[in-house]
Amino acid sequence: DTGVSQDPRHKITKRGQNVTFRCDPISEHNRLYWYRQTLGQGPEFLTYFQNEAQLEKSRLLSDRFSAERPKGSFSTLEIQRTEQGDSAMYLCASSQTGEDYGYTFGSGTRLTVV
Amino acid sequence: AQTVTQSQPEMSVQEAETVTLSCTYDTSESDYYLFWYKQPPSRQMILVIRQEAYKQQNATENRFSVNFQKAAKSFSLKISDSQLGDAAMYFCASGTYKYIFGTGTRLKVLA
């Protein structure tokens, strides 16, 4: 297993365009998380899945954001009608259920909205 | 609201010396975990050390140890025998499955 993979690593898009990011978690992990990290800040929780069920969404996740994990494996995060304020690093992480041993993070997708 | 505060934006340490990074938190949860994560420049975030809040014994991982003061809601990280490879952003986090992260401390290691 190669850990948590995120694609693409970088994305530059024009304001108003839609973007989609992909995350492939560690195969044994049934929990998957999305966080957003802006410059000089720590990661902020966006949403998480247990298997294919989306169990919690942050109020940060406006209706322009949608996340899916259709078969309980990989996940996608889509941002519609991007705004400059969406520019950030989008981090994916995964973990097992049971005792909380912490996350394994991916390398992130850096989004720049111009 | 749950919060995590790292009051040191930046710290420096001489190679082979010891440094302590501070973290305070506030939570309404009765069972929770505390973590320190390391984020090297342009690289992914990795877990350094983990503490179960219901355990009084401080966690240790090789050169890394914590000083967990539950009543004071304090969770500091001590790095002994600092190495150049320890240079990174360090984030403190609190929670159970969903974490609140602090704003980070940038650690510089001087040769």
Side-chain angles (χ1 to χ4, degrees):
Chain A
D1 199 340
T2 55
V4 178
S5 300
Q6 290 190 247
D7 185 67
R9 292 292 303 273
H10 304 274
K11 178 72 177 178
I12 300 174
T13 190
K14 292 183 178 179
R15 190 174 51 188
Q17 297 293 304
N18 299 344
V19 294
T20 300
F21 310 141
R22 176 177 170 128
C23 172
D24 287 87
I26 291 174
S27 55
E28 299 84 18
H29 290 179
N30 48 16
R31 288 188 177 228
L32 184 148
Y33 310 81
W34 286 99
Y35 279 75
R36 180 171 67 187
Q37 186 178 21
T38 53
L39 203 60
Q41 299 295 316
E44 295 175 295
F45 171 81
L46 293 179
T47 188
Y48 91 94
F49 294 83
Q50 182 161 314
N51 300 313
E52 65 275 11
Q54 188 173 20
L55 296 186
E56 189 170 342
K57 291 168 56 174
S58 164
R59 282 175 287 182
L60 292 174
L61 216 62
S62 76
D63 56 5
R64 297 185 296 106
F65 288 70
S66 62
E68 294 183 341
R69 193 182 183 197
K71 296 182 180 179
S73 56
F74 73 92
S75 175
T76 58
L77 178 68
E78 181 183 16
I79 308 174
Q80 296 182 326
R81 305 181 303 281
T82 51
E83 302 173 356
Q84 285 188 323
D86 297 331
S87 295
M89 177 74 85
Y90 289 84
L91 298 170
C92 178
S94 68
S95 73
Q96 294 177 317
T97 50
E99 188 155 345
D100 188 353
Y101 288 102
Y103 298 161
T104 300
F105 277 94
S107 298
T109 294
R110 181 168 297 284
L111 174 67
T112 303
V113 181
V114 298
Chain B
Q2 299 185 45
T3 58
V4 174
T5 302
Q6 294 180 249
S7 59
Q8 305 154 316
E10 190 171 295
M11 294 281 286
S12 295
V13 62
Q14 207 69 34
E15 199 176 3
E17 296 296 307
T18 296
V19 65
T20 298
L21 309 184
S22 301
C23 172
T24 58
Y25 65 94
D26 194 10
T27 180
S28 55
E29 296 179 331
S30 53
D31 290 327
Y32 56 93
Y33 297 83
L34 296 159
F35 304 91
W36 280 95
Y37 282 88
K38 171 185 177 182
Q39 189 175 41
S42 302
R43 295 182 61 187
Q44 69 193 90
M45 196 170 296
I46 59 174
L47 179 63
V48 174
I49 198 164
R50 160 188 176 267
Q51 175 78 42
E52 298 150 313
Y54 59 87
K55 286 189 176 179
Q56 290 188 335
Q57 186 173 6
N58 290 324
T60 62
E61 287 287 343
N62 301 313
R63 298 182 295 108
F64 299 87
S65 62
V66 299
N67 183 3
F68 174 46
Q69 301 290 328
K70 190 171 184 178
K73 294 184 177 177
S74 170
F75 183 62
S76 61
L77 174 69
K78 185 171 82 171
I79 306 173
S80 303
D81 185 26
S82 297
Q83 300 175 358
L84 294 176
D86 295 334
M89 284 291 290
Y90 285 82
F91 292 96
C92 178
S94 167
T96 304
Y97 296 113
K98 183 181 81 172
Y99 305 154
I100 304 297
F101 285 82
T103 52
T105 296
R106 181 175 303 281
L107 179 65
K108 295 184 175 181
V109 181
L110 308 174

